[in-house]
Amino acid sequence: MKRIAALLLLASLSANAVAFEPFVVSDIRIDGLSRISAGTVYNYLPVNKGDQFTEDEAQRAIRALYDTHFFSDVEMSREGNILVIKVVERPSIAKLTIRGNKDIKEEDLRKGLKEIGLSEGETFDRLSLDRVKQELITQYYNRGKYNVSIDPHVTRLDRNRVALDIEIREGKVAKIKEINVVGNTTFTDKQIEDNFESGTTNWMSWYSKNDQYSREKLSGDLEKLQSYYMNRGYADFGVDSTQVTISPDKREMYIAASIKEGEVYTVSDVHLLGKLILPEKTLRQLVFVKAGDKFNRAAVEGTSNAIKGILSNLGFAYAKVTPVPKLDKEKRTVDLTFYIEPGQRVYVRRVIFQGNTRTEDDVLRRQMRQLEGSWYSQALIDRSKIRLQQLGYFKKVDIDKQRVPGTQDQVDVTVKVEEQSAGSLQFGVGYSQYSGVILSASVSQNNFLGTGDSFSVGAETSTYYKRVNASYYNPFLTDSGIGIGYTVGYSKTDYGNTDFANYATSAKSFSTFLGIPITEFDSLRVGLGVSSNKINLYPGYSPQVLLDYQNALGHQTIHEWTGTLGWNHDTRNGYWAPTRGGLMSVSTDVALPGSTVQHFRVSAEANHYWPIGGGFVLYLDGQAQYGATYGSQTYKNSFGQYLAGQPLDYPFWQNFYSGGVRDVRGFQDNTLGPRVCSGTDASGHAIQPSSNGYCTGSYYQYAQPIGGAFKVLGTSELYLPLPFLKDINTARVSLFMDVGNAYKDYQSFKAADLRASAGISLHWQAPIGPLIINFATPIRSKPSDRPYEERIQFTFGSQF
């Protein structure tokens, strides 16, 4: 066939060259050009003025012009000593339209078309169009869509142009009707197919898509099948053949695989050969398989990766560790040798940043633990990536290495980032079932002018509060990473129309703090603040116990000097949606001597994320908060249960609350914990709530939450890998269970009083701010909680 094609091409070229005697070209004239310049043709033409021109040269010139794919016809003739070239230009593509594609994105299709010369503005070649059709059909076949049809339509336009319309009818994915593994005697079909991504239709197929056939999925399943046996000692396991059959209507697939199980092998010995770099005793600690063990492919691969990993941390970025098993079929043993080739030790010449159009290089560079001029370390590269992800400025962070051309011991490290919005200018409306309608205006920027500094200025108003605040933080006041921040705020609250205890506050505050790094994962926060808070209580409407406390204290306006000390240990691998690592923190706020009430509060939290396979992530969190007074302060007056000279209790305006959309879900915000009635009975004593939470004779029907000085909270959450939520940094769905409550004080804690709930939650980083929707069911509650239970909870919009 190739010979025939060559003869046809030669005949075509000969036909386009008029026979003439050799001559010296005095000039060259090109006829038929409209879009393509004469200079472009001269660049490709292998003949110039003054050249001797023969029939062989003519054929060579015609072939060169055809190879440009600019022309559909080329003819050469002679007028005296002038060489005349007559061409017919191929049409240009004026418009390219793709219709009907759903499984493959249009941008991916256009990119592939452009690579073979089919894009708007390029010359049109029908042969390229035919290649595209076949390639697209192959891609859809690989996705299991065997009913696909690709119909390209070409419409002629004026000025030698064409419009291309590629119509795609994808059809439906062929579904797997049957999977048949032949030759398995040790394990059942169910055992070996449980890990398959492919499967026949079942009740979960709408979610998992396991019954949709694809070639890549089948290849992965065969690899899993091999791993299943080899991880259980079958070192000579093999897949003899696979057969995929499609039904006549191309809607059903039948898969058959013939396997040879082989025998179970035991490791007889393990050798480490090659250039070890480290002492063999050290490397032996990274060997996960030893003599006497069953052969295990996963352990062998784990050993190779562990040795490569430690070598890559010592500068051997391209180390190779090759396991070579030698099988003794008579004894059914495996003699295992790891050949270690560390290669040349390399150091990093340059660290290059790409994609940071807004963020300054210095902001990224100060997060890098891999330094220029030092030996390459994969551990430092990995840590640098996590630190960049934790900033919250980037959707995606990738770090690659490339050898420096002409060297064997140098690499350049390229950090590619995809920036996301780190700030906002918002005028919006939010809503939460607790706060009602929230009107807000804010300017915030977590990466101010690309410097890494953050600031925010905002105001909010809702049915019960008004807030105005501003904050600023410079995370690198010094090169060592000490940061400084400031906050100033004013708030006014009135809980008269909420489920809270009825009182109002008016507070002003200012604080400054330092962030001090201690280790790679640990930091301290030290702060100092001042505040003034005027508290208004209403006899008959506010709970009597709060009125008694304020009267006994003798102060309506509370002044505080507050010192803060906190510690964080953060190993999370992301900012918005971590998948591994955790956070431990302890913080203490102390109202210093000179404050109206000397008190302190301690908060502690520990949480962790575990990837458990298949895209599932398990999250556990535990929190505890405790508050108390200190020093020799006493009540000035006697009111109710508070006696003059008695040590002060923890101030009620600093109480901890439990329940809500971010706490124990399924209960209204801040409604769990101690509840009291407003008003007094006929004898002047505070009204006590019944077991159902009713307050007979009180202004309010139900007891009002007042919080407590001790709180505990525990959460377990399972994040789900939903196919329609590809970007977990944008949205996540989870199943959860919460347990917690608030108590009057530590001595009042009883496990029997803990409340619990379970349900499903959606977190979405929406353009208007974070959106949280919970569907929760209380699974442990008391009759007095009934008025405060909520099955559906949601909140959206920016909140401060």
Side-chain angles (χ1 to χ4, degrees), residues 607-788:
N607 61 50
H608 202 88
Y609 296 84
W610 290 274
I612 56 177
F616 292 90
V617 177
L618 177 64
Y619 170 73
L620 297 179
D621 177 74
Q623 300 179 35
Q625 294 175 297
Y626 171 74
T629 57
Y630 71 94
S632 58
Q633 291 187 114
T634 60
Y635 294 106
K636 293 182 179 180
N637 311 299
S638 297
F639 280 89
Q641 61 180 300
Y642 306 109
L643 303 176
Q646 177 183 342
L648 287 174
D649 288 343
Y650 191 68
F652 65 83
W653 59 86
Q654 293 287 353
N655 277 347
F656 306 110
Y657 291 85
S658 184
V661 70
R662 292 180 174 89
D663 202 271
V664 182
R665 289 160 279 194
F667 300 91
Q668 292 180 21
D669 283 21
N670 303 320
T671 57
L672 294 181
R675 303 188 188 106
V676 297
C677 299
S678 62
T680 57
D681 57 22
S683 60
H685 297 101
I687 297 174
Q688 298 300 314
S690 68
S691 60
N692 291 330
Y694 289 100
C695 294
T696 304
S698 172
Y699 178 81
Y700 296 101
Q701 180 181 6
Y702 296 104
Q704 298 173 296
I706 61 169
F710 181 65
K711 174 187 172 181
V712 292
L713 174 65
T715 294
S716 62
E717 206 147 0
L718 180 65
Y719 292 99
L720 309 178
L722 299 182
F724 50 84
L725 293 177
K726 300 296 185 183
D727 184 3
I728 63 173
N729 289 301
T730 301
R732 298 180 98 178
V733 171
S734 64
L735 302 176
F736 67 82
M737 185 173 71
D738 299 325
V739 179
N741 207 347
Y743 299 84
K744 181 179 182 298
D745 49 37
Y746 177 76
Q747 290 74 21
S748 303
F749 172 78
K750 293 181 181 178
D753 290 334
L754 288 170
R755 308 299 199 264
S757 65
I760 186 169
S761 179
L762 165 67
H763 289 233
W764 177 31
Q765 295 296 330
I768 61 172
L771 167 67
I772 301 174
I773 302 176
N774 300 324
F775 180 81
T777 300
I779 57 177
R780 185 174 183 178
S781 62
K782 293 192 174 183
S784 58
D785 299 325
R786 297 292 185 266
Y788 306 106

Side-chain angles (χ1 to χ4, degrees), residues 463-484:
T463 55
Y464 79 91
Y465 68 79
K466 292 178 174 59
R467 296 177 185 169
V468 179
N469 61 7
S471 65
Y472 173 81
Y473 181 60
N474 176 1
F476 275 81
L477 177 66
T478 68
D479 292 339
S480 61
I482 295 177
I484 188 169

Side-chain angles (χ1 to χ4, degrees), residues 331-359:
K331 297 180 179 179
R332 298 178 186 172
T333 59
V334 179
D335 188 79
L336 193 58
T337 301
F338 291 92
Y339 288 95
I340 300 172
E341 303 173 73
Q344 180 71 40
R345 193 179 191 187
V346 299
Y347 65 90
V348 176
R349 183 186 69 164
R350 287 193 303 163
V351 176
I352 304 166
F353 301 103
Q354 296 179 357
N356 54 316
T357 56
R358 294 190 299 270
T359 307

